[in-house]
Structure formats: C-alpha cells, structure tokens
Amino acid sequence: MNIKEYKDIYVFCEIRDGKIHDASLELLGEANKLVSGRPNLDYKVVGAVIGNVSDEALEQAGHHGAWKVMNFRNEGITHYSTEIYTTLLSRMIDESKPDILLIPATVLGRDLAPRLAARCDTGLTADATKLEFDPENENSSLLYVTRPAFGGNLFGTIVCENTRPQMTTIRPGVMEPLKSDAAREFTVEKKDVEISGIKELVKVLEVIPKPHKGVDIAKADLIISGGRGIGDNFKILREVADKIGAEVGASRAVVDAGIMEKDVQVGQTGKTVRPKVYIACGISGAVQHVAGMEKSDFIIAINKDPGAPIFKTANIGILGDALEILPLLAEEIERIRQ
Ligand code: FAD
C-alpha cells in the first residue's frame, strides 16, 4: 500500500427515513472543519451514500458540506445489509483511495465499520469524540483520534500510521453540523452497482419502527435530568418539565434501576445532548454522565451535597433538595416568561 496515493476525507452518509441521518451531517461538518484547517493538503469532503435514495437526500448532503456526493445504486438494496454495504464501500476505497473515512457511531455504523476495516486491512478507532490533524506537522494528514477509555476516566489518542484509509466512528451529537446552505456548490455522482455476487449471511426482511415516545432528547433545547437523588419521584420532574416545555432526561443510575427508559439516558453509554439549558437534579456528576451533557450552553445543577462534582461543570449550582427547589424554579421561570 502506497499511502501517498490516498487523499480526501470521505463521510459515510447513513440514510434514515429517506434522509441523511443527523450523525452523518455532523461528520460532514467536522470533515469541512478539518480540511479548512489544513488547506495545504488540498483535500475535499466526499459523502458516500448507498441505496436508491431521493435527489433531495443527496442534495441534503451537499447542502451540509459534501463537495461531492457519491451514490451507489441498485434496485436490490432495500434495507441495510452488512455484506452489501461492506463490499460496496471496500470497492469504493479500492477505486477512490480516501485518506480518511468517517462513519457515525450509530447502530448501523458500529456494525459496518469494523467489518469494513477488517476487509480493507486497515485500522479503526471506534467511538471517537475528537479529531485533529497531526499538530506537530502542518503538512501531515495523519489523524489524531481521541476517544474515552476505561469508563471515561482516561482519554486515549490513537493514530493509524501505516495503512489507509484512516477509519473512525464518531459518537452522534459530539460534532457540529454546518448550517444547511442551498448555495453551497457540490457535484453528485450516481453509480449503478452490481450486487448479484455478494453473499448475504444475514438478511433484513422488514424494519418495524419503534413507536415514537415524545421528542428525542438529543434534539431538545431544554432538558431536566434526574438522577439517583430523585429516585422514583420523576412525576415531579415531569410536571415541571411540562410547565416549562422541557424534555426529561436521566442518569444511568435511574435507568439501571428501571425507573426511566434507556432512550433518555444521558452520558457516555447514553445520548450526547447539547441543549440551551440543562438542569441536572440529584445527579452527582460522574465523568460518564458529564461526557454526555458538558457541551450544553448553560448548566444548572441542584444537589444536596456541596462536594458533588456536578457543581464543577455547572454554570449555576443550587445547594438543596431538588424536589423542593424544582417547583420553585418552575414558578420563577413562568413568572419571568409572563
Ligand atoms: P449518584 O452518583 O448516586 O448521585 C446521586 C446524587 O444525588 C448525589 O450527588 C446526592 O448528593 C444527590 N442527592 C440525593 N438526594 C438529593 C435530593 N433530594 N436533591 C438533590 N440532590 C440529591 N452514568 C450516566 O449517567 N450516563 C452514562 O451514560 C453512563 N455510562 C457509564 C459507562 C461506564 C462504562 C461506567 C463504568 C459507568 C457509567 N455511568 C453512566 C455511571 C456513572 O459512573 C455513575 O454511576 C452515574 O452517573 C451515577 O448516577 P447519579 O448521579 O444519578 O447517582
């Protein structure tokens, strides 16, 4: 492998409900940030889309920062297939030789990326939270990929020096997407591909969407989260949340206790959120929780323990019983609004 032949940053654009998944849009944003920070590499950002998707979806990738959108099409691709996707992307890698390939760490991406890395005999850093080019050498395209390790207590930075592409999966909600801009220039390359020779060991026959319960907390502007200190008193949290138009989140302690559902868990093994305001109630502020909410614009913490680590992350800390303070806070917010 002559790694000098490899160029550009490719982003795997996952399709969800006919549109590009938000997590892929975030990666297009991050890829643009990387290339604009190192103009001497003269890299471009390419989006790779699989399936017979609409022109709107392909344009969506362009409007969010793909300079070129490659779309691999075949009538037979109706659902995600590990084998088909791996084969098509490894063909793309053989032909186009991307230096870097970013894949969202969604359920699909976590299935696809390791298989693809093994097929291409290259390295993969999974679940990254930070990307930067080699800070020591401004002509280098070596990617420094940082990810949490040992339960979030340590961060490791990993490089893939000898093989290409440099592959990484990135947690949804961590990187910033670009604002959609219809004036952005991009090209679309649709390719009809052959899939008849690909042996599928596992075949998805049908996708049954899970009934949608409320708003996805990853997209909420205002979140009130409760932890072990709230126990099974989430009714109070919900009442306050309804009053002020917030979504309710939770720490892993209450999810593990079966009090709240996993899809509202905030943190390293839950969702990454970045609301305008995050109110943490009865949450101690373990690193694994903070990893999922520290990018919120404004953080309010309510805790009985003056030594709780959450106070180090919070913009405002309120010392006391959250179950008494929350209703007062809601009244105050309502008063200010009127
Ligand atoms: P506790 O740590 O028990 O804190 C409860 C807090 O409530 C205390 O600070 C206490 O002073 C306060 N309190 C008690 N009563 C009141 C009251 N009436 N009013 C106000 N304050 C009160 N955790 C996550 O949250 N998300 C994750 O994604 C996650 N992933 C993990 C991944 C790994 C690999 C590991 C090892 C752990 C992970 N954890 C995660 C768990 C994490 O380490 C903590 O155990 C967890 O966040 C603690 O939850 P908590 O703050 O609700 O509970």
Side-chain angles (χ1 to χ4, degrees):
M1 176 181 290
N2 178 3
I3 65 173
K4 292 212 175 83
E5 288 176 1
Y6 288 73
K7 207 172 155 38
D8 301 327
I9 304 184
Y10 281 49
V11 173
F12 170 68
C13 294
E14 179 177 337
I15 297 293
R16 182 84 60 91
D17 299 329
K19 293 197 229 142
I20 311 277
H21 193 296
D22 285 351
S24 290
L25 300 179
E26 290 160 15
L27 299 191
L28 288 170
E30 179 65 14
N32 272 275
K33 205 167 113 193
L34 284 167
V35 297
S36 61
R38 195 141 284 191
N40 43 344
L41 288 178
D42 194 24
Y43 274 13
K44 57 181 182 293
V45 176
V46 180
V49 185
I50 293 181
N52 291 3
V53 300
S54 66
D55 286 347
E56 287 77 36
L58 300 175
E59 283 161 13
Q60 192 195 2
H63 295 164
H64 281 86
W67 306 17
K68 176 170 150 188
V69 186
M70 295 177 85
N71 178 212
F72 304 99
R73 302 170 77 88
N74 184 300
E75 289 295 332
I77 308 171
T78 46
H79 298 302
Y80 170 65
S81 149
T82 311
E83 270 303 320
I84 293 178
Y85 276 48
T86 302
T87 305
L88 295 180
L89 290 176
S90 65
R91 282 184 201 157
M92 176 195 82
I93 290 168
D94 285 346
E95 284 165 21
S96 306
K97 299 197 172 11
D99 188 359
I100 293 166
L101 175 59
L102 308 180
I103 296 180
T106 54
V107 174
L108 189 158
R110 284 169 201 239
D111 178 79
L112 173 67
R115 180 74 62 110
L116 182 60
R119 180 80 55 94
C120 300
D121 204 11
T122 189
L124 166 71
T125 306
D127 238 9
T129 51
K130 187 180 160 202
L131 305 177
E132 65 176 333
F133 281 124
D134 180 353
E136 304 289 320
N137 177 356
E138 61 177 27
N139 294 314
S140 166
S141 70
L142 190 63
L143 198 61
Y144 279 44
V145 183
T146 302
R147 56 149 299 154
F150 296 105
N153 292 306
L154 282 178
F155 284 87
T157 298
I158 297 166
V159 292
C160 173
E161 273 181 313
N162 302 321
T163 55
R164 292 292 180 269
Q166 307 173 73
M167 277 182 64
T168 173
T169 59
I170 294 105
R171 286 176 64 97
V174 175
M175 306 302 181
E176 287 259 25
L178 293 175
K179 280 215 171 71
S180 175
D181 182 354
R184 242 184 263 281
E185 282 185 22
F186 60 96
T187 55
V188 175
E189 194 179 305
K190 290 184 189 174
K191 278 190 168 183
D192 291 320
V193 289
E194 191 50 63
I195 58 165
S196 55
I198 304 172
K199 193 167 169 222
E200 282 182 274
L201 297 173
V202 176
K203 202 165 181 167
V204 177
L205 300 178
E206 190 187 358
V207 176
I208 303 164
K210 202 170 147 195
H212 191 60
K213 292 191 218 130
V215 177
D216 179 0
I217 56 161
K219 294 180 184 155
D221 274 344
L222 183 54
I223 298 175
I224 303 184
S225 276
R228 209 189 316 259
I230 298 301
D232 51 12
N233 290 309
F234 267 76
K235 192 166 166 275
I236 299 180
L237 233 73
R238 275 202 197 90
E239 281 169 9
V240 175
D242 284 348
K243 265 193 190 166
I244 61 175
E247 296 302 321
V248 175
S251 74
R252 179 161 157 182
V254 287
V255 173
D256 285 351
I259 297 167
M260 291 298 282
E261 298 233 2
K262 169 86 182 154
D263 62 356
V264 298
Q265 181 186 315
V266 173
Q268 189 191 318
T269 42
K271 290 195 170 151
T272 304
V273 297
R274 44 167 82 216
K276 294 203 169 77
V277 181
Y278 186 87
I279 308 175
C281 309
I283 293 177
S284 59
V287 280
Q288 297 90 354
H289 185 83
V290 170
M293 44 65 83
E294 63 192 342
K295 291 198 174 153
S296 306
D297 291 349
F298 199 83
I299 298 167
I300 302 172
I302 311 175
N303 200 300
K304 283 208 292 205
D305 173 9
I310 192 76
F311 287 135
K312 292 199 183 110
T313 311
N315 300 91
I316 291 183
I318 304 173
L319 189 63
D321 186 336
L323 298 171
E324 287 172 13
I325 293 165
L326 264 175
L328 301 176
L329 189 69
E331 265 175 38
E332 186 60 13
I333 291 173
E334 270 193 307
R335 192 187 62 77
I336 295 166
R337 274 187 179 159
Q338 277 161 14

